[in-house]
């Protein structure tokens, strides 16, 4: 009996359940047609298992719900703000906190403060709202992620890494004064939830320091990144997630956060910085766009739930089960031959729609088509992450991203292993009849 495998399991049990509506194929066909074949436009009542996003869809703990009852709904100086501020300092290590209604609220303020017209913002792959705020502030995004990140089959363990040569070239070409900061994301979303290594971060810090350039961290999924460092990077196996998260942040000058992911809340985010001047400006600006600097568009109870959620998110047991569930689903899908992005990332499984539907040109929207087919098959809702998400240039032409993916995003602490089986089987069914699938206009 020596070789029996030791499974992970959830470090929690259920106290309340939310009933789901089951649909039949005819109902799904009708719902999808009404949604213009766009899974974003489906009513969630018509969805069985919702994998559209891991954003704001997590299940809160009994402690977080109890915290909601401790909300201090004062207009200014709510006790929950001070609690959150303390947690951000303790767990994340950033000095000054500006709460915002969600991540993009922080991106807006940061971009407006740091970016001047004509500036260059290098980043390890774009995220939709982040890039848009940079562009709206007059900047231009430049992708400096390593080439491996654009190859869904490359098994490099840190596909979120920055290519320092690409960054050096940009500095040479434009001059450091044109680069207000490098936008560094952990668990790079559009690459498939791929982590950056501590080694790469240290090198990035050294290079940016030499040129006086800031590193601003999109820390939306930093704890998931820390888990991969613990599992894969030499010298980190015995460190806790909490220690690794703090070390990651120590190589950066500030952060934007969508707390709707890692931090286990349904709404909330923040901007955190170490520079007093930037903080002062942000504190004035947040009043215009979000609300007073001690609530930033959130209720006191939301800030309390966030403060508690941040603590839970950096627990080793939580992260083992969180990523364990994602890996379980990915391995099951791969065992049916479904082409997925490798290595499996932290927040979901990304199916390679170009390999799944090789007969379909990219401007017939293979990923959008595949998401629609999965919904028709089982009521599972997934998200397109390809040519549609990439948006259009100002002249109306499509961007043609190298990655054309369907994201099966797993909400935290919400679904069971049996749900994962149903999802994998549905993907396998659609894969079986892939040759018969036509694209969209
Ligand atoms: N940065 C990253 C890496 C994100 O994934 C998101 C949101 C944001 C910033 C913006 O934060 O939504 O709170 O305003 N991602 C969601 C997703 C929408 O489904 O991946 P937000």
């Amino acid at each position: 009996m020596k070789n029996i495998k030791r499974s992970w399991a959830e470090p929690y049990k259920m106290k309340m359940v939310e009933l789901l509506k089951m649909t039949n194929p005819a109902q799904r066909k009708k719902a999808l047609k009404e949604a213009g074949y766009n899974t974003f436009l489906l009513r969630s009542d018509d969805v069985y298992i919702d994998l559209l996003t891991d954003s704001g869809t997590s299940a809160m703990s009994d402690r977080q719900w109890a915290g909601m009852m401790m909300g201090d709904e004062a207009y200014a100086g709510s006790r929950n703000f001070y609690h959150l501020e303390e947690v951000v300092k303790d767990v994340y290590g950033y000095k000054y906190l500006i709460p915002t209604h969600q991540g993009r609220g922080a991106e807006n303020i940061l971009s407006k403060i740091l970016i001047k017209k004509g500036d260059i913002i290098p980043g390890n792959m774009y995220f939709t709202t982040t890039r848009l705020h940079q562009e709206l502030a007059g900047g231009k995004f430049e992708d400096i992620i390593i080439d491996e990140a654009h190859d869904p089959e490359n098994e490099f363990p840190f596909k979120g890494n920055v290519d320092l040569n690409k960054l050096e070239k940009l500095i040479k070409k434009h001059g450091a004064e044109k680069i207000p900061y490098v936008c560094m994301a952990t668990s790079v979303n559009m690459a498939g939830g791929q982590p950056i290594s501590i080694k790469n971060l240290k090198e990035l810090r050294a290079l940016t320091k030499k040129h006086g350039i800031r590193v601003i961290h999109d820390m939306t999924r930093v704890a998931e990144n820390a888990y991969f460092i613990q599992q894969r990077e030499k010298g980190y196996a015995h460190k806790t997630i909490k220690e690794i998260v703090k070390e990651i942040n120590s190589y950066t000058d500030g952060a934007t956060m969508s707390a709707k992911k890692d931090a286990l809340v349904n709404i909330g985010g923040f901007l955190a910085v170490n520079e007093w001047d930037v903080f002062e400006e942000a504190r004035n600006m947040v009043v215009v766009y979000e609300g007073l600097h001690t609530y930033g568009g959130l209720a006191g109870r939301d800030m309390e739930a966030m403060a508690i959620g941040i603590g839970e998110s950096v627990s080793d047991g939580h992260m083992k089960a969180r990523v364990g569930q994602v890996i379980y689903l990915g391995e099951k899908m791969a065992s049916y031959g479904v082409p997925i992005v490798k290595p499996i990332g932290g927040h979901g499984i990304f199916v390679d729609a170009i390999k799944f539907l090789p007969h379909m040109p990219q401007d017939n929207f293979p990923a959008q088509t595949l998401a629609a087919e999965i919904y028709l098959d089982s009521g599972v809702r997934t998200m397109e992450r390809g040519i549609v998400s990439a948006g259009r240039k100002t002249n109306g032409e499509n961007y043609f991203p190298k990655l054309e993916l369907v994201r099966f995003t797993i909400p935290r602490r919400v679904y069971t292993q049996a749900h994962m089986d149903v999802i994998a089987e549905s993907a396998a069914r659609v894969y079986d009849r892939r040759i018969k699938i036509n694209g969209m206009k």
Side-chain angles (χ1 to χ4, degrees):
M1 298 285 273
K2 247 187 261 156
N3 293 326
I4 285 184
K5 152 184 170 198
R6 290 287 192 158
S7 290
W8 60 272
E10 292 79 359
Y12 54 82
K13 60 183 176 178
M14 289 167 203
K15 189 177 292 208
M16 189 188 279
V17 296
E18 179 179 341
L19 300 182
L20 298 172
K21 191 175 121 185
M22 310 294 282
T23 51
N24 61 38
Q27 286 168 326
R28 293 196 288 274
K29 205 169 165 187
K30 183 167 173 278
L32 191 66
K33 195 170 172 212
E34 279 167 13
Y37 299 92
N38 180 350
T39 53
F40 262 99
L41 299 180
L42 286 167
R43 286 171 185 248
S44 105
D45 269 347
D46 294 326
V47 173
Y48 171 39
I49 301 174
D50 203 348
L51 307 184
L52 189 68
T53 177
D54 63 329
S55 181
T57 51
S58 298
M60 292 208 296
S61 67
D62 50 353
R63 286 163 211 218
Q64 285 177 291
W65 280 106
M68 298 281 280
M69 293 303 291
M70 307 282 277
D72 168 10
E73 307 307 340
Y75 189 85
S78 158
R79 83 169 88 86
N80 313 115
F81 167 77
Y82 295 108
H83 182 199
L84 179 62
E85 190 183 47
E86 197 184 289
V87 168
V88 167
K89 241 184 241 170
D90 169 47
V91 177
Y92 294 144
Y94 294 115
K95 275 194 202 154
Y96 308 115
L97 166 74
I98 303 275
T100 57
H101 78 286
Q102 57 182 69
R104 65 198 71 182
E107 292 165 2
N108 174 38
I109 292 168
L110 179 87
S111 303
K112 280 203 163 71
I113 292 173
L114 293 184
I115 300 173
K116 291 186 305 297
K117 198 170 174 354
D119 278 352
I120 303 293
I121 322 298
N124 52 347
M125 209 173 260
Y126 75 99
F127 182 72
T128 51
T129 58
T130 321
R131 183 174 67 192
L132 194 59
H133 280 299
Q134 292 163 358
E135 289 172 355
L136 287 171
K140 184 167 181 278
F141 170 83
E142 290 280 1
D143 193 1
I144 54 164
I145 203 163
I146 53 171
D147 290 338
E148 287 88 335
H150 294 283
D151 173 4
E153 275 167 73
N154 192 308
E155 302 237 17
F156 187 65
F158 292 103
K159 280 163 89 176
N161 278 359
V162 166
D163 184 331
L164 295 154
N165 287 326
K166 289 184 189 169
L167 179 57
E168 270 194 304
K169 270 191 199 148
L170 284 176
I171 298 172
K172 244 192 207 136
K173 184 168 167 204
H174 302 279
E177 63 291 347
K178 282 273 175 219
I179 304 178
Y181 62 93
V182 170
C183 181
M184 183 282 295
T186 34
S187 298
V188 180
N189 190 356
M190 305 300 272
Q194 301 295 331
I196 182 167
S197 70
I198 291 279
K199 180 170 176 283
N200 186 248
L201 265 172
K202 281 186 180 166
E203 290 164 359
L204 174 67
R205 172 80 294 181
L207 178 64
T208 50
K209 203 169 185 177
K210 195 171 100 189
H211 293 280
I213 299 172
R214 294 178 191 87
V215 176
I216 299 289
H217 178 194
D218 181 341
M219 64 180 299
T220 296
R221 297 180 182 86
V222 63
E224 288 165 7
N225 195 121
Y227 178 77
F228 286 123
I229 289 172
Q230 188 189 54
Q231 299 302 307
R232 297 176 186 166
E233 193 158 357
K234 211 173 141 225
Y236 285 84
H238 300 293
K239 297 217 167 164
T240 62
I241 300 289
K242 194 173 171 184
E243 287 166 337
I244 300 170
V245 163
K246 208 151 179 184
E247 182 173 348
I248 293 172
N249 294 354
S250 74
Y251 305 123
T252 70
D253 302 292
T256 55
M257 171 64 157
S258 170
K260 301 170 73 172
K261 284 84 165 174
D262 248 12
L264 298 163
V265 286
N266 305 119
I267 194 72
F270 59 77
L271 171 64
V273 292
N274 290 334
E275 289 163 83
W276 173 261
D277 295 356
V278 178
F279 169 63
E280 246 197 332
E281 224 179 303
R283 195 168 54 171
N284 291 329
M285 197 179 280
V286 74
V287 184
V288 182
Y289 295 103
E290 306 278 318
L292 202 72
H293 67 281
T294 55
Y295 76 87
L298 296 169
R301 55 178 170 267
D302 297 328
M303 291 189 282
E304 191 58 32
M306 198 196 305
I308 297 167
I310 289 170
E312 292 176 3
S313 76
V314 293
S315 120
D316 284 44
H318 163 68
M319 211 32 86
K320 188 174 172 200
R322 156 63 174 160
V323 181
Q325 188 178 44
V326 175
I327 291 173
Y328 175 86
L329 173 64
E331 285 178 348
K332 187 134 196 169
M333 282 167 76
S335 77
Y336 290 126
V338 176
I340 63 171
V341 173
K342 289 184 187 156
I344 293 168
H347 65 304
I349 301 306
F350 290 67
V351 172
D352 184 345
I354 290 177
K355 271 197 94 183
F356 199 111
L357 301 167
H359 53 283
M360 197 178 291
Q362 200 173 6
D363 44 11
N364 284 151
F365 311 113
Q368 187 88 339
T369 304
L370 184 51
E373 290 290 342
I374 299 272
Y375 172 74
L376 279 179
D377 180 75
S378 57
V380 170
R381 169 157 72 171
T382 57
M383 185 192 276
E384 193 267 4
R385 293 270 84 161
I387 186 165
V388 180
S389 296
R392 291 195 165 124
K393 299 176 195 167
T394 36
N395 66 7
E397 278 171 29
N398 285 322
Y399 284 109
F400 282 86
K402 281 191 198 141
L403 296 180
E404 177 75 18
L405 308 174
V406 175
R407 189 179 72 171
F408 291 59
T409 343
I410 314 299
R412 297 164 187 79
R413 311 194 290 204
V414 172
Y415 292 114
T416 65
Q417 191 149 316
H419 286 121
M420 298 302 124
D421 291 339
V422 167
I423 297 159
E425 288 158 15
S426 175
R429 276 292 182 94
V430 176
Y431 189 59
D432 264 356
R433 59 174 173 76
R434 61 191 178 278
I435 319 152
K436 295 191 198 127
I437 296 173
N438 296 316
M440 297 191 202
K441 275 190 215 156

